[in-house]
C-alpha cells in the first residue's frame, strides 16, 4: 500500500466529523412516524421500531427503563458512534472519504468508476424516497453532492454548480458569484455543467483540494510489513484483530480520542498508553474501534497481542524506559 494513501486515510480518520449517521437516524424516525399515521396503532409501531433497533445491532436499553420511554426517544438517544454502524451510515462514510479525500469507497479490493457510480446511485435511491417533507438531512445531502462532484471530475463529464459547491463546502450564493465571468475564477460552463478541466484548475488553485487516489487502494491497506524491524527501546504489547490490523496510535485515533469496549459499553481515552493498558485489562476480550480500508469505523475484537517498540509506533519513549 502506497504511503501516500495510508497517510491520506489516517488524515480522513482524524478529520471526519460530518456524522451523516445522525441524518440516517432522523430518516428512520420519520419513517416510524409515518407508520404510526398509516397503522393507527402506536403500540404496534413501538414494538416494531424497538425490534428494528435491536435487529440492527444497536444496544438495547434496560427493559425497565423502556417501560416509560417511546420508541422515538430510543432512537433519538442512540449514540452517534453506534449509529455509524448502520449499513447506510457505513456507505455514507465511505462516500465522504471518496468525496472529500479522494479515497476508495469500496472496502477490501480494487475499485472502478462503475463501482463508485453504483454506490452513489444506491445511496441516493435509499435516501431520496424515504425523505419526508421537512426532514433535515444536510450532512447526507452535502456528502452526496460532493461525491457526485468528485465522480464528475474523475469521469471527466463535468459537474453541476451545486455539486461543486458541496465539494468545497461553499454556499450557493458564493458559488453563483464564482461562476460569473467577472469573478476571474476561470470556471467554464457547457450545457449546464462545469467542465471537469476548468473545475480541477479552480480546485487546485484553492490549495485545499485533495486529488483522487482511490485507484491506489488495495485489500492490504492495514497489513503490516513483512519485514519487521528489530525491537529497540521501550516495548509495548499491542492488540491485533483477526485480519491482522493493529490498535495503531494514529489510525485508531478519531477526533483526538481512542474508543474502546464492546458496543453499548464504549469508553474513550486520549492517551495511547492508557488505552493500551485498558485493552490489556479487558475481560474476556479486548475491543476497539478502527477504520477499515474504506474508512468506515467499526468495532474489532483482539485476536492476540504482539510486541511493538515505541519507535515503530511513532511514540516518544517514556522517561526511564530501557534502551
Amino acid at each position: 500500500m502506497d504511503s501516500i494513501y495510508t497517510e491520506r486515510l489516517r488524515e480522513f480518520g482524524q478529520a471526519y466529523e460530518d456524522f451523516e449517521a445522525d441524518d440516517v437516524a432522523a430518516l428512520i424516525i420519520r419513517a416510524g412516524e409515518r407508520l404510526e399515521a398509516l397503522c393507527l396503532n402506536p403500540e404496534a409501531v413501538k414494538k416494531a421500531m424497538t425490534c428494528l433497533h435491536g435487529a440492527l445491532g444497536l444496544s438495547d436499553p434496560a427493559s425497565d427503563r423502556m417501560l416509560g420511554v417511546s420508541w422515538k426517544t430510543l432512537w433519538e438517544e442512540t449514540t452517534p458512534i453506534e449509529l455509524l454502524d448502520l449499513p447506510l451510515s457505513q456507505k455514507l462514510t465511505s462516500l465522504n472519504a471518496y468525496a472529500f479525500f479522494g479515497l476508495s469507497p469500496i472496502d477490501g479490493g480494487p475499485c472502478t468508476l462503475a463501482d463508485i457510480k453504483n454506490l452513489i446511485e444506491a445511496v441516493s435511491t435509499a435516501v431520496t424516497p424515504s425523505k419526508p417533507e421537512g426532514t433535515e438531512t444536510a450532512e447526507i445531502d452535502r456528502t452526496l453532492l460532493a461525491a457526485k462532484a468528485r465522480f464528475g471530475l474523475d469521469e471527466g463529464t463535468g459537474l453541476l454548480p451545486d455539486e461543486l459547491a458541496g465539494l468545497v463546502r461553499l454556499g450557493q450564493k458564493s458559488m453563483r458569484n464564482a461562476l460569473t465571468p467577472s469573478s476571474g475564477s476561470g470556471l467554464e460552463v457547457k450545457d449546464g455543467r462545469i467542465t471537469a478541466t476548468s473545475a480541477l484548475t479552480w480546485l487546485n488553485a484553492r490549495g485545499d483540494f485533495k486529488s483522487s487516489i482511490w485507484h491506489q487502494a488495495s485489500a492490504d491497506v492495514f497489513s503490516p510489513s513483512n519485514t519487521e524491524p528489530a525491537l529497540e527501546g521501550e516495548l509495548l504489547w499491542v492488540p491485533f484483530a483477526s485480519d491482522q490490523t493493529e490498535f495503531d496510535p494514529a489510525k485508531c485515533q478519531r477526533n483526538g480520542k481512542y474508543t474502546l469496549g464492546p458496543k453499548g459499553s464504549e469508553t474513550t481515552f486520549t492517551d495511547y498508553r492508557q488505552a493500551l493498558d485498558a485493552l490489556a485489562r479487558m475481560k474476556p476480550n479486548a475491543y476497539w474501534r478502527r477504520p477499515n480500508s474504506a474508512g468506515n469505523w467499526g468495532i474489532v475484537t483482539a485476536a492476540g497481542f504482539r510486541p511493538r517498540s515505541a519507535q515503530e509506533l511513532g511514540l516518544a519513549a517514556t522517561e526511564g524506559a530501557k534502551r
Side-chain angles (χ1 to χ4, degrees):
M1 173 54 54
D2 190 284
S3 60
I4 296 177
Y5 192 93
T6 301
E7 174 61 23
R8 182 78 66 82
L9 185 62
R10 182 197 65 79
E11 186 180 353
F12 168 70
Q14 292 184 333
Y16 175 70
E17 54 183 19
D18 286 325
F19 286 105
E20 297 92 349
D22 288 339
D23 287 351
V24 174
L27 290 174
I28 293 174
I29 290 172
R30 297 297 177 272
E33 292 173 340
R34 180 59 178 159
L35 279 175
E36 285 187 334
L38 288 170
C39 299
L40 298 177
N41 190 328
E43 189 59 32
V45 173
K46 178 180 180 179
K47 291 180 180 178
M49 296 303 293
T50 303
C51 180
L52 176 64
H53 191 273
L56 288 171
L58 302 174
S59 61
D60 294 325
S63 57
D64 56 344
R65 178 178 177 274
M66 269 305 296
L67 293 176
V69 175
S70 69
W71 65 263
K72 185 176 178 180
T73 299
L74 172 64
W75 278 95
E76 288 176 338
E77 293 185 355
T78 302
T79 66
I81 290 178
E82 281 199 279
L83 292 173
L84 284 170
D85 287 336
L86 294 174
L88 182 56
S89 300
Q90 293 274 297
K91 292 184 183 299
L92 281 161
T93 304
S94 296
L95 282 181
N96 190 290
Y98 168 70
F100 296 109
F101 286 80
L103 296 166
S104 171
I106 306 301
D107 182 22
C111 177
T112 66
L113 280 172
D115 293 328
I116 297 172
K117 181 180 181 180
N118 290 337
L119 179 59
I120 293 174
E121 291 178 348
V123 173
S124 297
T125 300
V127 171
T128 305
S130 60
K131 184 177 178 181
E133 184 178 353
T135 304
E136 291 293 332
T137 55
E139 305 284 0
I140 290 178
D141 295 343
R142 182 175 57 241
T143 294
L144 275 174
L145 285 171
K148 291 175 181 178
R150 171 81 62 175
F151 183 79
L153 295 172
D154 291 340
E155 193 179 40
T157 53
L159 52 163
L160 296 173
D162 60 340
E163 294 172 351
L164 182 57
L167 182 59
V168 296
R169 302 176 186 269
L170 200 63
Q172 294 295 329
K173 181 178 180 180
S174 297
M175 190 72 255
R176 287 194 297 270
N177 291 337
L179 288 171
T180 60
S182 59
S183 69
S185 66
L187 291 171
E188 300 175 358
V189 179
K190 292 184 179 180
D191 299 324
R193 299 182 69 85
I194 302 170
T195 64
T197 301
S198 68
L200 276 172
T201 300
W202 182 74
L203 287 166
N204 288 325
R206 288 173 59 87
D208 56 356
F209 176 68
K210 301 183 186 303
S211 60
S212 291
I213 57 173
W214 52 266
H215 54 281
Q216 298 178 24
S218 66
D220 63 349
V221 59
F222 287 108
S223 298
S225 171
N226 292 327
T227 303
E228 296 289 342
L231 296 179
E232 298 180 355
E234 181 187 7
L235 189 65
L236 300 169
W237 286 89
V238 179
F240 61 90
S242 59
D243 61 0
Q244 299 304 307
T245 63
E246 296 182 354
F247 180 61
D248 185 273
K251 296 170 185 173
C252 296
Q253 186 182 56
R254 187 176 196 175
N255 295 329
K257 297 179 180 180
Y258 303 100
T259 302
L260 316 182
K263 185 179 295 184
S265 300
E266 295 96 334
T267 56
T268 58
F269 294 81
T270 57
D271 182 83
Y272 180 71
R273 287 180 174 82
Q274 290 180 3
L276 277 182
D277 181 70
L279 287 167
R281 297 173 186 273
M282 283 186 186
K283 301 296 181 184
N285 298 303
Y287 303 87
W288 70 95
R289 283 187 175 268
R290 62 98 170 99
N292 60 22
S293 58
N296 289 318
W297 287 78
I299 295 177
V300 292
T301 306
F305 286 73
R306 59 168 62 104
R308 290 291 185 221
S309 69
Q311 182 180 6
E312 280 184 297
L313 297 169
L315 302 173
T318 56
E319 185 178 350
K322 295 181 179 179
R323 301 193 63 82

